[in-house]
Amino acid sequence: MATAIFQREFNYSSRTQNAGWSVSASPDPQTFPEELVAAAVEAGAAERVKPARKRASSKGADNG
């Protein structure tokens, strides 16, 4: 899965599976299959966003 911000509506039909998607524009990052995001970026409809990394919890860690 890949994450991107879509500036405009984007419709895509998969080349490898029997599936299609209709993505609405949004200022919030959206997660879709890599195949769709790559096509949207190439078409100028989206910009990739690196996924937020989860921080390691310090609970239970010996910080002493």
Side-chain angles (χ1 to χ4, degrees), residues 25-58:
S26 173
D28 300 320
Q30 300 178 62
T31 302
F32 289 99
E34 172 63 34
E35 176 185 6
L36 181 147
V37 173
V41 169
E42 187 173 322
E47 292 182 25
R48 286 187 184 272
V49 174
K50 290 185 179 180
R53 293 182 59 177
K54 294 182 180 179
R55 293 183 59 190
S57 175
S58 61

Side-chain angles (χ1 to χ4, degrees), residues 2-40:
T3 305
I5 295 176
F6 289 78
Q7 289 89 21
R8 61 181 170 89
E9 185 176 306
F10 186 74
N11 298 308
Y12 182 75
S13 295
S14 176
R15 306 293 184 247
T16 61
Q17 46 187 315
N18 187 20
W21 296 269
S22 180
V23 183
S24 298
S26 173
D28 300 320
Q30 300 178 62
T31 302
F32 289 99
E34 172 63 34
E35 176 185 6
L36 181 147
V37 173

